[in-house]
Amino acid sequence: MKRTNPHTDKLFLRGERRSDGYFFWGYTNKLRKDGTFVEIWLHPERYSSMKDKALAARMSGYVRKSGRAPRNSKRLSAEELAEAMRLVSFQMEMNSGLPLSAEDKSFLLTGM
C-alpha cells in the first residue's frame, strides 16, 4: 500500500517537495512495518541530476535497439544524435552549476 500525501490525500507525485526541501522520486517494493511501501526522497541537487538523467534516457530511447526508428519519427544520424547529447550535457551542467562527471558524459554520448 502506498502512503498518501497528508496535504492532498492523494498519492505522492514525482517532484513534490517536502518541508525540509527534499523531493519525492518514487516508491520502492520494500514494505515498512505499517504495511506501506518505502519512499525515495532526494536532496535537491540529486533530484536535479536524476531528473536530467531520466530526460536523457527518454531521449536516447527514441531509437530502437533493433536499429529501426519508431513510426512517425525522424531517424537521427549518429552525428545529429551526438550533437543532441552534447547539448543536453551542456544544459545539464549549466542548470546544475556543477560539472558532469566523466561517467555521466559517457552515458549521454553512448547511452551506456
Side-chain angles (χ1 to χ4, degrees), residues 55-70:
L55 173 65
R58 277 197 314 269
M59 286 182 63
S60 68
Y62 287 121
V63 178
R64 294 182 184 175
K65 289 183 180 181
S66 66
R68 293 181 295 133

Side-chain angles (χ1 to χ4, degrees), residues 17 23 36 50 90:
R17 194 174 198 154
F23 289 91
T36 60
M50 292 288 287
F90 176 75

